[in-house]
Amino acid sequence: MDYQTLLKLAQEAKYRAYAPYSGFRVGAALLTSSGKVYLGCNVECASYAATSCAERTAIVKAVSEGELCFKAIAIASDSKTCTFPCGICRQVIVEFGEDIDIIVGTGEVDLEVFKISELLPKAFTKINIE
């Protein structure tokens, strides 16, 4: 799957967001190494700490279905600028590999690709606890 299509799926996923407090809708599309795509959206809660970001929603869906190898994740929002994963999401993404591509953009054509290792250098990973 090309990354423009993945970003388009993330843009569609944002419309499922439950964001009554911030009004900031985010969608994610996670591409697994097997080629399957899992969508996620942010789900807010009155107790903000219980809120789930779109990226983590997609990852939890994939893991719950037995997928553990990820190739890329696209992130889209209503913002006029690119929306990047928050710090917690970066930590969760790197748990599954430092070579995962992060795709951000403001439109189907306008996109940028980063490795999670670029967005979270010197990450705390499983090698730190072995």
Side-chain angles (χ1 to χ4, degrees), residues 84-95 116 118-120:
F84 288 84
C86 73
I88 294 170
C89 287
R90 292 175 194 207
Q91 183 65 49
V92 171
I93 294 166
V94 82
E95 177 69 21
I116 187 60
E118 293 178 83
L119 300 182
L120 189 63

Side-chain angles (χ1 to χ4, degrees), residues 61-82:
K61 286 171 67 176
V63 170
S64 72
E65 295 295 322
E67 297 275 2
L68 298 174
C69 298
F70 309 137
K71 181 178 179 184
I73 187 165
I75 300 125
S77 74
D78 293 325
S79 177
K80 292 181 193 271
T81 61
C82 294

